[in-house]
Every structure is written in C-alpha cells, then in structure tokens.
Amino acid sequence: EVDTEYLIKESEQWCRDRAVHNAIMDSISIIDGKDQNRSEGSIPEILSEALGVSFDQQIGHDYIDDSDERFDFYTKKESRIPFDLDYLNKITKGGLPNKTLNIALAGTGVGKSLFMCHVAASFLAQGQNVLYITLEMAEERIAERIDANLLDVTMDDLHSLPKDVYNDRLKKVQDKTKGQLIIKEYPTASAHSGHFRALLNELALKKSFKPQVVFIDYLNICSSSRFKGGNISSYFYIKAIAEELRGLAVEFDLPIFSATQTTRTGFVSTDIGLEDTSESFGLPATADFMFALMSNEELEQLGQMKVKQLKNRYNDPSFHRSFILGVDRSKMKLYDVENNAQNIVDKGTETKKEINPYDKFSDFKV
C-alpha cells in the first residue's frame, strides 16, 4: 500500500530544502560580485521565495467560488469513532470526530484511567488503531487493565490465569479485531507534543502504524513544548499544553482523548462544574468536549458512576446533561444501565421533541 500523503510531505520538504540551498548559493554569488544582474538588496526576496516553496495551492476559502464545496461539507456525514456506551453516542452525535481534543474531568481515584482504558479497549475491539500514551502508570499496568476489560476477567484472576487459557482468550480477541494497540510510557512531566509528534512519525515509518485515536494519560502531567513550567503561571502553562495537543490532533487528523484533575473543592463536590477544573480554566476553553466523572458512596455501592457534560461542541450540552453509567472496577469495564436507573437525567431531556425548524421564526414580525 502506497502512502501518498507521506510521499507528498517528504517531496515537498526536499524541494524546499533544495530551494533554500540554491537561494543561499545565489546570495553568495551576489555578495562575491559574480552576479552582475542582481544587487544585495534582492537577497531577502530570494530567501523568502525559497522558504515559501509549497505544494499547497489552497490559500483560503472563496465564499462565492467555493460555494459548491461548502454545500458538500454541509451534507457530508462526518467520520466519527463510536463509543460502546449509548448515552455517550447520543450526546456526541455518534462518537468522536477527528481533529478534536476530548477531556474527562475527575477527582483522584474516581476513575479517569479506568474510563480511558475502557474506551481504548472498545475502540480496539471495533478494529481501530489505538495509541495509548501514559505518563502516570507503567505500560504493563495499562495493558493489564485493558487485558481485564477485553478478556473479561477480574484483575485478581488475571494474575492466576494459566498461560494456555490466557493465550486462548487473547487469540479470540485477536480474531475479532483488525486493530492494533500500542502503549508508550514517558516519565512524568518529561514529554510534550514534540515527543508525541516524533513518536507518531516513528511508528508510521518503522511499524506502518497509524492510529485512528490517541489517548494521553493525562494532560496535566505533560510538559509544554513552548514554555518551561517554572517561568509561567499554571493557567498559561496548562492552556499551552492543551493548545499544543489540539494542534497535534489537527495535524494528524485524529481525536485525542485525555483527562484532568478537579480542584480540592471539586473533589468533594456532588455537582462538578467547569470552574472545578484544576490549575487552568484555559483547558476547558481549548477542549472540544469535556465532561465530569463523579462518584459517591451510594453510587459506589450500586456499581455506578455519574457523568455530567461540561462543554460540548458536537451537540447541545443541555440534552442529557447528566446520566449514569455502570462500573465494574474489578474488570475495568463500563456499561449502560437500565433506563429506570437514569433518575438524574435533566428533566425534559429523556425525549427530544421533533419540531419544524421554521417554527422558531413564526413570532417575528417583518
């Protein structure tokens, strides 16, 4: 299979490098007086033209001339990666779209990593290529959780499972999916978007592996490629990390899923809001989709977790503002609960009333 995008990118870079080389050689000739037709004042223009070499001829969207392409965009069904959880598909209109940053907000021990491991396992089961970057736990710990989820065994039983039984169950998982899962560990607070970009390029080159989704566990313990933590406030630092990760999602045309901590007040709160985001309010400003995971003693006894939408660019966030998911912590699994357990979903959002889209203009007078 020919990777056309890679060929174009590398060819463009080679042409740009040669153009810069030729421009420098021309500039030297001008300075040495060997070029009688151009003066030293033309050197900046020569270098600018060389640096501007690009295969991309698109320089903007023409409102009139590009109207057909715009209409096609309106009617085109956006590619999304669906969840295996019904309510998450409802609130995201079918799953995660590409070029987005998606954030789970939760306190310590509530289940950020559990949530991410379950979603990563479900995407892998669908046949998606998944890259899981961990800065908190070891690679083997993440793989252990995903094993428990996909093999449908408890974490305790996983350690006492005979080798032949383990291989047999893993073979069944392998037969069901064409996807790949790569788990990469970095030391805490040592890796940034530049490292992740290099990793994605290296995986494409050495293993022909291109992920459809990337998980980063978790955002607050990444570093920034632009700033050093000691010289900038946490607001700008965390916001910079979020912006860099979202830029990475756009560059590689995939969704990035990560998590963040709540503040101390949010940790004990039964109704988390955006204001409970730890360290930087710039994070929710950058994210496309953000939701809170909440738990208490009553929910833990029922084996449940509350999910509340905080920000949603895919759908109306007031539609199913909050809902309940079932949790099996021993197997690192999430599941849908019965409708009668959804006793905290916002009033009036159980069914969305179908209306004529033009009715909203009926009260206006000309």
Side-chain angles (χ1 to χ4, degrees):
E1 184 179 351
V2 178
D3 188 346
T4 308
E5 184 179 344
Y6 171 79
L7 291 174
I8 293 173
K9 182 179 178 182
E10 291 299 314
S11 300
E12 181 182 41
Q13 185 60 49
W14 185 87
C15 291
R16 185 181 294 115
D17 291 344
R18 292 303 303 170
V20 171
H21 173 81
N22 292 338
I24 292 173
M25 297 305 295
D26 287 346
S27 300
I28 293 173
S29 297
I30 292 171
I31 293 172
D32 290 344
K34 296 178 181 179
D35 190 332
Q36 302 299 324
N37 298 320
R38 292 179 289 184
S39 66
E40 293 182 0
S42 62
I43 291 177
E45 183 180 353
I46 294 172
L47 292 172
S48 295
E49 287 180 1
L51 292 169
V53 169
S54 173
F55 290 178
D56 185 10
Q57 300 301 312
Q58 178 67 25
I59 56 174
H61 179 84
D62 189 300
Y63 182 76
I64 301 298
D65 292 344
D66 295 337
S67 59
D68 289 340
E69 289 84 352
R70 188 165 68 251
F71 183 79
D72 291 341
F73 171 78
Y74 295 154
T75 55
K76 180 182 177 182
K77 186 176 181 181
E78 189 175 16
S79 175
R80 293 172 183 262
I81 303 178
F83 294 95
D84 65 341
L85 300 165
D86 186 45
Y87 273 89
L88 281 173
N89 282 327
K90 286 181 180 179
I91 65 175
T92 58
K93 289 188 176 179
L96 296 182
N98 292 335
K99 302 182 181 181
T100 57
L101 178 63
N102 308 274
I103 301 293
L105 170 66
T108 302
V110 172
K112 295 188 299 297
S113 295
L114 182 153
F115 193 97
M116 292 175 65
C117 285
H118 171 86
V119 176
S122 71
F123 287 169
L124 176 63
Q126 292 176 37
Q128 307 288 344
N129 286 340
V130 180
L131 174 61
Y132 198 112
I133 296 171
T134 172
L135 295 95
E136 186 175 38
M137 289 187 288
E139 295 171 355
E140 294 79 11
R141 292 297 181 189
I142 297 297
E144 177 187 30
R145 292 174 173 222
I146 293 176
D147 262 343
N149 183 293
L150 290 175
L151 304 184
D152 196 30
V153 296
T154 66
M155 297 279 283
D156 292 335
D157 290 343
L158 192 60
H159 292 275
S160 57
L161 208 64
K163 184 69 172 0
D164 57 336
V165 177
Y166 175 80
N167 289 338
D168 183 55
R169 294 202 176 195
L170 196 61
K171 182 69 166 57
K172 290 180 180 178
V173 172
Q174 187 178 358
D175 292 340
K176 290 180 181 178
T177 180
K178 295 181 180 178
Q180 286 181 276
L181 169 65
I182 301 291
I183 305 169
K184 174 64 177 175
E185 178 187 359
Y186 288 97
T188 302
S190 68
H192 52 65
S193 59
H195 296 95
F196 306 151
R197 180 179 293 103
L199 174 63
L200 287 163
N201 290 329
E202 189 175 6
L203 286 170
L205 187 64
K206 294 182 178 179
K207 300 193 70 169
S208 299
F209 174 83
K210 285 191 172 181
Q212 273 90 45
V213 59
V214 174
F215 291 83
I216 300 176
D217 191 4
Y218 60 97
L219 186 143
N220 292 62
I221 52 177
C222 294
S223 59
S224 169
S225 62
R226 294 179 290 171
F227 305 107
K228 292 192 178 293
N231 303 328
I232 191 171
S233 71
S234 62
Y235 172 88
F236 291 105
Y237 192 69
I238 300 300
K239 185 174 187 293
I241 296 172
E243 289 170 347
E244 290 159 15
L245 293 183
R246 193 178 187 283
L248 195 69
V250 173
E251 180 182 345
F252 286 89
D253 190 26
L254 48 75
I256 288 181
F257 203 107
S258 191
T260 188
Q261 295 272 20
T262 60
T263 58
R264 283 177 292 179
T265 55
F267 181 74
V268 296
S269 174
T270 57
D271 190 25
I272 294 174
L274 283 175
E275 68 279 2
D276 295 310
T277 306
S278 124
E279 295 185 280
S280 175
F281 198 72
L283 172 54
T286 306
D288 296 282
F289 177 48
M290 191 164 177
F291 57 94
L293 304 174
M294 290 171 276
S295 183
N296 54 34
E297 289 184 5
E298 181 182 354
L299 288 171
E300 286 178 2
Q301 290 174 0
L302 294 171
Q304 295 176 348
M305 176 188 293
K306 179 181 175 182
V307 180
K308 179 184 176 184
Q309 294 186 69
L310 302 178
K311 180 182 179 181
N312 192 342
R313 287 178 176 165
Y314 316 141
N315 204 351
D316 180 0
S318 65
F319 179 58
H320 296 310
R321 170 73 72 177
S322 58
F323 52 91
I324 292 291
L325 291 177
V327 185
D328 186 346
R329 294 184 183 273
S330 65
K331 295 182 179 180
M332 294 291 150
K333 277 192 172 186
L334 300 170
Y335 56 90
D336 292 313
V337 297
E338 298 293 334
N339 286 334
N340 56 15
Q342 301 293 346
N343 56 356
I344 59 166
V345 176
D346 292 352
K347 184 179 179 181
T349 61
E350 281 295 346
T351 58
K352 207 168 186 178
K353 184 183 176 184
E354 295 293 333
I355 62 172
N356 185 332
Y358 298 102
D359 284 350
K360 59 185 177 182
F361 299 115
S362 60
D363 293 336
F364 286 85
K365 295 181 180 179
V366 179

